Amino acid sequence: MSPDRRTAVAAGSLFLLTEAAAIAGAVLYRPLLGAADGRLAQGADTRALLGALCEVVLVVAVAGTGAALFPVLRRHGEGLALGYAFGRLLEGAVITVGIVAVLALVTLRRDGGAADGADAALVAVHDWTFLLGPNIALGLNTVLLAYLAYRARLVPRFIAVLGLVGGPLICASAVAVMFGAYEQLSVAGASAALPVFAWELALAGWLIVRGFGPGSGAAFRADGEAAEPTGVRR
């Protein structure tokens, strides 16, 4: 297996891990955030802690995709490749703040004497990190990666177009939520997130099964056209 093929499998696997960890984490800790009057249902704190662990895995996987793809992406634009790698780190950092909010909320709810203001503030912190990380930061990172994938022919064009459409859409949806157009967890919000979800699943599947496209080893000239690197035969 060539280095690029190993990179493709690793990156695809990490993308699948981000989806699985994000869904599992949200399902596990969501009852904690919506607990009425701060009262915990039996076992809700344990599920929330497991959800937080899932989100730790999510943070590692998010950062890992940027690191894994960097050696390939830098051949097609080092600045954009660095932007994607650091963008994924930023996304992971914002998610981490949300994890801390969930863990602090578990402590307060277990204590039973938390002030309503502190309780509500932690829920608000989590909700804002969810909006800024897995929505706005994710959308911007998706556009960067999809643009590089489209330009360099790393994956089929229809997959890259999913990312180019989904990234701006989820950012626009986050802005709409920010200004009160609709709730984060709503039909409109879920619909806006579907293209990015489809993009990551399609990208992961393609990278694992087929690897990078024929443009993965090409450097780019100043005019943006692909140029075969020295020593590589057509």
Side-chain angles (χ1 to χ4, degrees):
M1 187 181 288
S2 69
D4 277 4
R5 188 73 184 91
R6 287 195 296 270
T7 296
V9 172
S13 300
L14 286 169
F15 273 113
L16 288 181
L17 185 58
T18 62
E19 297 292 348
I23 293 171
V27 169
L28 286 166
Y29 67 66
R30 182 56 57 181
L32 174 78
L33 300 179
D37 300 323
R39 291 192 296 269
L40 282 173
Q42 185 175 5
D45 55 343
T46 300
R47 290 195 298 272
L49 292 175
L50 290 174
L53 286 177
C54 288
E55 294 237 318
V56 171
V57 173
L58 170 63
V59 169
V60 173
V62 163
T65 56
L69 288 171
F70 180 74
V72 173
L73 297 181
R74 70 183 299 184
R75 302 169 194 163
H76 310 285
E78 188 163 5
L80 292 175
L82 279 171
Y84 180 72
F86 282 107
R88 291 298 264 180
L89 284 174
L90 175 62
E91 184 182 337
V94 174
I95 295 170
T96 301
V97 176
I99 296 172
V100 173
V102 168
L103 294 175
L105 190 57
V106 169
T107 300
L108 289 178
R109 293 266 171 91
R110 276 176 169 174
D111 194 28
D116 290 342
D119 194 277
L122 287 170
V123 174
V125 168
H126 172 271
D127 288 346
W128 279 107
T129 57
F130 184 79
L131 190 69
L132 295 174
N135 283 265
I136 292 179
L138 172 62
L140 296 175
N141 290 330
T142 296
V143 171
L144 272 178
L145 180 56
Y147 171 70
L148 281 169
Y150 185 92
R151 190 179 73 167
R153 304 187 304 279
L154 298 179
V155 295
R157 291 291 174 89
F158 78 91
I159 295 179
V161 167
L162 266 178
L164 290 172
V165 171
L169 186 59
I170 199 170
C171 285
S173 176
V175 172
V177 170
M178 191 179 298
F179 286 94
Y182 47 80
E183 297 295 324
Q184 282 186 350
L185 299 180
S186 62
V187 174
S191 299
L194 277 177
V196 166
F197 180 71
W199 141 261
E200 291 200 345
L201 287 183
L203 177 66
W206 186 271
L207 291 179
I208 291 171
V209 175
R210 300 294 297 274
F212 295 110
S216 63
F220 274 77
R221 299 194 299 262
D223 60 3
E225 293 297 322
E228 205 69 27
T230 304
V232 177
R233 295 181 179 178
R234 291 185 177 277

